[in-house]
Amino acid sequence: MPSWGLRTEGGASAVRPCPRRGFGPPLVSGQRGLDAAVPVRTLESMKKPISTEAAEAAVAAHYGLLLGIQSPWQVKAVDLKLEAKRVEVALEHDAQAAVGCPQCGRACARYDHAPERQWRHLDVMQFLTVIRARVPRCQCPEHGVVTAQVPWAEPHGRFTLMFEAFAVTVIEAARSFVQAMEILRVDWHTIQEIVRRAVERGLLRRSTEQVVHVGMDEKSFGRGQDYVSVMTDLTGQRVLDVVKDRDTAAALQLWEALPEPQRRRVEAVAIDMSAEFAAAARTAAPQAAIVYDRFHVSKHLNEAVDKVRREEHRQLLEKHDESLTGTKYLWLQGEAVTGERALSFGELCARNLKTARAWCHKETFVEFWAQPDVAGARDFFRHWFGAARRSKLEPIKKVALTLKDHLLGLLNYFVHPITNAISEGFNSKIQAIKADARGFRRFENYRYRILFHCGKLDLLPAIQ
Ligand SMILES: [Zn+2]
């Protein structure tokens, strides 16, 4: 069982795990631990009625043990509210003990007390447990009058470290915020606050030294046309940061997720073909190769095929020909079409429809990615581009020109074979987060949730 003791040096915990007593400071010889204060009742003494004071002392000692309270803190009173199923444990700081300055750790004279505060603790036997205390303030010769750091909570925290650690674990595992709220018996804002604190803690501890391949992608946010931009560490498979909007300024802000020296070490960045992400990458990490993401390229080709299909479908319908009705997804799936539908798809392809020709250009381009090297890919592209430009299919001709304009970034794939597939993989997680919150009103909350679940951060508070 972890126990809370006095911090001894420089504000940082100097305690070592003790196999018998948990993570508090080991008892100094001659020091009376709280466990020594538990009254031992013999059979004879149990026959006598116990006094109220003795009973209260026993309960206080019991909670002291249960919560791992150690000198100079002790349990002053235990207030059991049966109806409310709530226990309030009042702690007090030994009036004679020195108070450690939270900034330099120096043992200082007590100055006064801060007003009483409360911390939610882990439930004890289903009783909601709250710790109350007036924290002493000391007068440090160097730092002036400062409030001591309590060993059971982080500064400004409303929960004990153990409650916060438990809550983080519950939120990580819960299907939704609502489920976590029910288990922890806290409100929505409290959960959001725990998430925020966990992410801030994680970001402070995060190392980005190994980040050499990054991905940048946009995602929709909220109901309207709002977008956010997301940066991912493609090797570490984690989200590095999320910012509002998808313009160049937003993309530049996203790069700040990496410290300056690390930005210079990024070798390649996978992006879609939008000018904004490319411009930001050239400014923030000019040495990094820009690699256009192959899944975005195939999205553009699919859109071109669909444009051809819609136009041709309209023309055929005028002639009462319904050949293309309900075929939209056949053309998107392409060769993956199986079963009876494959038969009709084969017939469609054989009919020399414009849609079928457009589909062929799209499917042929898949081979681009299978080329052995840059030279092979360049060669392949020249042939593919020539055929696409002669296709007389406007959407295909247009997408071919776009690809030609971005050819360098397409060829970079053969030097740095990276894609945004990982960040696409985060999509389902991010969708679930969005659905759970039914549209975030505040972007910040959305960002914290994404980093909480997809950032692979070290979220737990350090329990002493
Ligand atoms: Zn100090």
Side-chain angles (χ1 to χ4, degrees):
M1 180 187 68
S3 54
W4 297 317
L6 174 71
R7 282 170 171 233
T8 46
E9 283 171 14
S13 169
V15 297
R16 296 281 176 276
C18 167
R20 190 173 64 83
R21 294 185 52 83
F23 289 81
L27 287 179
V28 181
S29 139
Q31 182 187 350
R32 249 167 59 104
L34 275 166
D35 39 1
V38 179
V40 179
R41 299 198 71 202
T42 60
L43 199 60
E44 200 50 40
S45 70
M46 281 164 89
K47 288 178 187 164
K48 294 177 194 160
I50 188 167
S51 70
T52 316
E53 294 78 32
E56 280 173 1
V59 170
H62 172 73
Y63 269 92
L65 270 181
L66 204 58
L67 305 177
I69 304 300
Q70 286 188 30
S71 174
W73 287 96
Q74 60 182 355
V75 176
K76 184 170 75 174
V78 177
D79 191 1
L80 186 62
K81 295 177 168 149
L82 276 176
E83 285 292 304
K85 283 227 144 202
R86 181 183 167 101
V87 189
E88 290 185 9
V89 183
L91 302 184
E92 68 179 354
H93 193 267
D94 183 350
Q96 306 306 315
V99 180
C101 168
Q103 288 174 48
C104 63
R106 187 185 278 137
C108 306
R110 175 193 307 249
Y111 180 76
D112 65 355
H113 282 96
E116 188 181 83
R117 287 188 52 199
Q118 294 194 353
W119 295 264
R120 167 84 187 271
H121 187 54
L122 292 174
D123 292 359
V124 177
M125 312 276 275
Q126 280 101 54
F127 277 67
L128 193 143
T129 305
V130 170
I131 287 174
R132 290 195 328 238
R134 291 188 66 195
V135 180
R137 300 200 301 165
C138 67
Q139 186 150 30
C140 172
E142 195 183 339
H143 299 102
V145 175
V146 274
T147 308
Q149 162 72 50
V150 295
W152 58 81
E154 286 181 344
H156 313 295
R158 292 191 292 125
F159 329 96
T160 65
L161 294 167
M162 276 188 252
F163 180 83
E164 215 160 333
F166 177 64
V168 166
T169 312
V170 168
I171 299 166
E172 275 183 317
R175 284 191 312 274
S176 64
F177 257 28
V178 173
Q179 195 190 28
M181 280 158 62
E182 281 165 6
I183 295 171
L184 297 168
R185 294 196 275 168
V186 294
D187 62 15
W188 194 91
H189 293 287
T190 303
I191 300 263
Q192 190 62 56
E193 174 65 5
I194 291 167
V195 166
R196 184 191 69 77
R197 289 168 55 88
V199 169
E200 294 291 359
R201 198 182 290 129
L203 288 176
L204 277 178
R205 296 168 178 170
R206 179 174 76 178
S207 161
T208 50
E209 273 172 31
Q210 306 299 324
V211 181
V212 287
H213 292 152
V214 302
M216 291 171 81
D217 209 352
E218 59 179 42
K219 310 238 176 286
S220 73
F221 162 66
R223 289 193 194 88
Q225 292 295 304
D226 293 345
Y227 282 87
V228 298
S229 302
V230 181
M231 180 183 266
T232 44
D233 166 8
L234 296 177
T235 316
Q237 307 200 355
R238 55 183 173 158
V239 170
L240 291 172
D241 213 340
V242 186
V243 297
K244 225 175 170 172
D245 297 324
R246 52 175 173 176
D247 52 19
T248 308
L252 279 173
Q253 193 192 338
L254 207 46
W255 275 100
E256 283 167 21
L258 295 176
E260 173 68 26
Q262 192 54 41
R263 248 176 270 165
R264 303 277 158 191
R265 284 198 281 270
V266 172
E267 289 169 13
V269 47
I271 55 174
D272 62 21
M273 289 188 286
S274 69
E276 292 81 2
F277 282 164
R282 285 190 195 104
T283 307
Q287 80 292 344
I290 288 173
V291 179
Y292 292 118
D293 179 55
R294 56 181 286 185
F295 296 98
H296 279 96
V297 171
S298 77
K299 207 175 111 197
H300 282 282
L301 285 161
N302 268 324
E303 280 165 7
V305 174
D306 200 49
K307 260 187 200 156
V308 174
R309 180 195 62 81
R310 283 204 309 266
E311 174 61 18
E312 189 172 35
H313 184 40
R314 198 181 54 75
Q315 289 168 359
L316 288 176
L317 280 181
E318 281 172 9
K319 294 182 227 161
H320 308 288
D321 181 341
E322 295 206 13
S323 303
L324 287 174
T325 304
T327 63
K328 176 175 177 178
Y329 294 99
L330 291 181
W331 303 109
L332 296 185
Q333 287 167 21
E335 284 168 354
V337 177
T338 52
E340 272 181 39
R341 292 163 76 81
L343 210 63
S344 54
F345 185 62
E347 285 166 13
L348 279 172
C349 288
R351 278 187 49 195
N352 196 28
L353 292 163
K354 283 182 190 166
T355 313
R357 280 168 41 224
W359 175 82
C360 277
H361 287 287
K362 176 196 80 163
E363 288 297 302
T364 309
F365 196 81
V366 174
E367 285 172 39
F368 172 80
W369 305 108
Q371 297 306 308
D373 51 28
V374 173
R378 196 189 291 278
D379 212 34
F380 176 92
F381 187 84
R382 201 173 53 241
H383 286 102
W384 180 87
F385 179 77
R389 289 299 289 167
R390 290 190 301 273
S391 68
K392 295 182 187 155
L393 302 163
E394 280 311 314
I396 293 291
K397 284 162 75 178
K398 209 174 145 200
V399 77
L401 268 185
T402 308
L403 293 182
K404 192 175 180 228
D405 287 345
H406 294 80
L407 186 58
L408 198 59
L410 296 175
L411 294 174
N412 276 342
Y413 175 79
F414 297 90
V415 185
H416 305 278
I418 56 171
T419 78
N420 263 335
I422 293 154
S423 81
E424 294 289 319
F426 285 128
N427 268 346
S428 57
K429 246 181 178 175
I430 292 174
Q431 279 304 323
I433 291 169
K434 232 171 87 177
D436 179 32
R438 289 172 198 89
F440 281 84
R441 257 171 297 173
R442 285 191 58 207
F443 163 76
E444 274 304 297
N445 292 344
Y446 186 50
R447 170 177 177 263
Y448 283 127
R449 286 283 306 273
I450 293 175
L451 287 171
F452 186 90
H453 290 288
C454 310
K456 290 199 179 163
L457 295 168
D458 180 6
L459 299 168
L460 295 175
I463 295 180
Q464 297 159 36

